[in-house]
Short mmCIF file of all heavy atoms in Angstrom, two decimals:
data_model
loop_
_atom_site.label_atom_id
_atom_site.label_comp_id
_atom_site.label_asym_id
_atom_site.label_seq_id
_atom_site.Cartn_x
_atom_site.Cartn_y
_atom_site.Cartn_z
N ALA N 62 17.74 24.04 189.67
CA ALA N 62 18.21 25.42 189.85
C ALA N 62 17.05 26.35 190.15
O ALA N 62 17.13 27.20 191.05
CB ALA N 62 18.96 25.88 188.60
N ALA N 63 15.97 26.18 189.40
CA ALA N 63 14.82 27.06 189.61
C ALA N 63 14.28 26.89 191.03
O ALA N 63 13.99 27.87 191.72
CB ALA N 63 13.73 26.72 188.58
N LEU N 64 14.23 25.64 191.44
CA LEU N 64 13.71 25.35 192.78
C LEU N 64 14.61 25.99 193.85
O LEU N 64 14.14 26.68 194.75
CB LEU N 64 13.69 23.83 192.95
CG LEU N 64 12.87 23.29 194.08
CD1 LEU N 64 11.40 23.58 193.84
CD2 LEU N 64 13.09 21.79 194.22
N ASN N 65 15.91 25.74 193.69
CA ASN N 65 16.86 26.31 194.64
C ASN N 65 16.77 27.82 194.68
O ASN N 65 16.77 28.44 195.75
CB ASN N 65 18.29 25.90 194.26
CG ASN N 65 18.70 24.63 194.96
OD1 ASN N 65 18.67 24.57 196.18
ND2 ASN N 65 19.06 23.62 194.20
N GLY N 66 16.70 28.40 193.46
CA GLY N 66 16.67 29.86 193.38
C GLY N 66 15.44 30.40 194.08
O GLY N 66 15.51 31.30 194.93
N LEU N 67 14.30 29.81 193.76
CA LEU N 67 13.04 30.28 194.34
C LEU N 67 13.10 30.21 195.86
O LEU N 67 12.80 31.17 196.58
CB LEU N 67 11.91 29.40 193.80
CG LEU N 67 10.50 29.84 194.18
CD1 LEU N 67 10.15 31.09 193.39
CD2 LEU N 67 9.51 28.73 193.87
N LEU N 68 13.55 29.04 196.32
CA LEU N 68 13.53 28.80 197.76
C LEU N 68 14.52 29.70 198.49
O LEU N 68 14.19 30.35 199.48
CB LEU N 68 13.90 27.33 197.98
CG LEU N 68 13.58 26.74 199.33
CD1 LEU N 68 12.10 26.84 199.58
CD2 LEU N 68 14.02 25.27 199.34
N LYS N 69 15.76 29.75 197.97
CA LYS N 69 16.83 30.35 198.76
C LYS N 69 17.03 31.83 198.50
O LYS N 69 17.66 32.52 199.30
CB LYS N 69 18.14 29.59 198.52
CG LYS N 69 18.05 28.24 199.16
CD LYS N 69 19.11 27.30 198.71
CE LYS N 69 18.85 25.96 199.36
NZ LYS N 69 19.68 24.91 198.80
N VAL N 70 16.55 32.29 197.36
CA VAL N 70 16.71 33.72 197.11
C VAL N 70 15.47 34.48 197.53
O VAL N 70 15.55 35.62 197.96
CB VAL N 70 17.03 33.97 195.62
CG1 VAL N 70 17.29 35.43 195.36
CG2 VAL N 70 18.24 33.15 195.20
N ILE N 71 14.31 33.83 197.42
CA ILE N 71 13.08 34.58 197.69
C ILE N 71 12.38 34.11 198.97
O ILE N 71 12.22 34.89 199.92
CB ILE N 71 12.12 34.48 196.48
CG1 ILE N 71 12.81 35.07 195.25
CG2 ILE N 71 10.83 35.23 196.77
CD1 ILE N 71 12.14 34.76 193.96
N ILE N 72 12.02 32.85 199.02
CA ILE N 72 11.10 32.44 200.08
C ILE N 72 11.76 32.49 201.46
O ILE N 72 11.30 33.20 202.36
CB ILE N 72 10.55 31.02 199.81
CG1 ILE N 72 9.77 31.05 198.50
CG2 ILE N 72 9.66 30.57 200.96
CD1 ILE N 72 9.20 29.74 198.10
N ILE N 73 12.89 31.77 201.60
CA ILE N 73 13.48 31.72 202.94
C ILE N 73 13.94 33.10 203.42
O ILE N 73 13.64 33.50 204.55
CB ILE N 73 14.62 30.69 202.99
CG1 ILE N 73 14.05 29.30 202.78
CG2 ILE N 73 15.37 30.75 204.32
CD1 ILE N 73 15.05 28.19 202.85
N PRO N 74 14.66 33.87 202.57
CA PRO N 74 15.00 35.22 203.04
C PRO N 74 13.78 36.03 203.44
O PRO N 74 13.82 36.75 204.45
CB PRO N 74 15.71 35.84 201.84
CG PRO N 74 16.28 34.69 201.12
CD PRO N 74 15.30 33.58 201.29
N ALA N 75 12.67 35.89 202.69
CA ALA N 75 11.47 36.64 203.03
C ALA N 75 10.98 36.24 204.42
O ALA N 75 10.66 37.10 205.26
CB ALA N 75 10.39 36.40 201.98
N ILE N 76 10.98 34.95 204.65
CA ILE N 76 10.53 34.49 205.97
C ILE N 76 11.44 35.04 207.06
O ILE N 76 10.98 35.54 208.11
CB ILE N 76 10.53 32.94 206.03
CG1 ILE N 76 9.55 32.38 205.02
CG2 ILE N 76 10.20 32.45 207.42
CD1 ILE N 76 9.62 30.88 204.89
N LEU N 77 12.73 34.96 206.78
CA LEU N 77 13.68 35.42 207.80
C LEU N 77 13.55 36.91 208.06
O LEU N 77 13.61 37.36 209.21
CB LEU N 77 15.11 35.08 207.37
CG LEU N 77 15.44 33.59 207.33
CD1 LEU N 77 16.83 33.36 206.77
CD2 LEU N 77 15.36 32.99 208.73
N TYR N 78 13.34 37.69 207.00
CA TYR N 78 13.13 39.13 207.18
C TYR N 78 11.95 39.38 208.11
O TYR N 78 12.00 40.20 209.02
CB TYR N 78 12.84 39.80 205.83
CG TYR N 78 14.07 40.20 205.08
CD1 TYR N 78 14.23 39.87 203.74
CD2 TYR N 78 15.07 40.95 205.69
CE1 TYR N 78 15.35 40.24 203.03
CE2 TYR N 78 16.20 41.32 204.99
CZ TYR N 78 16.33 40.97 203.67
OH TYR N 78 17.44 41.34 202.99
#
Side-chain angles (χ1 to χ4, degrees):
Chain N
L64 196 65
N65 268 303
L67 187 72
L68 197 59
K69 289 165 184 169
V70 184
I71 300 167
I72 298 179
I73 294 182
I76 297 172
L77 293 174
Y78 273 131

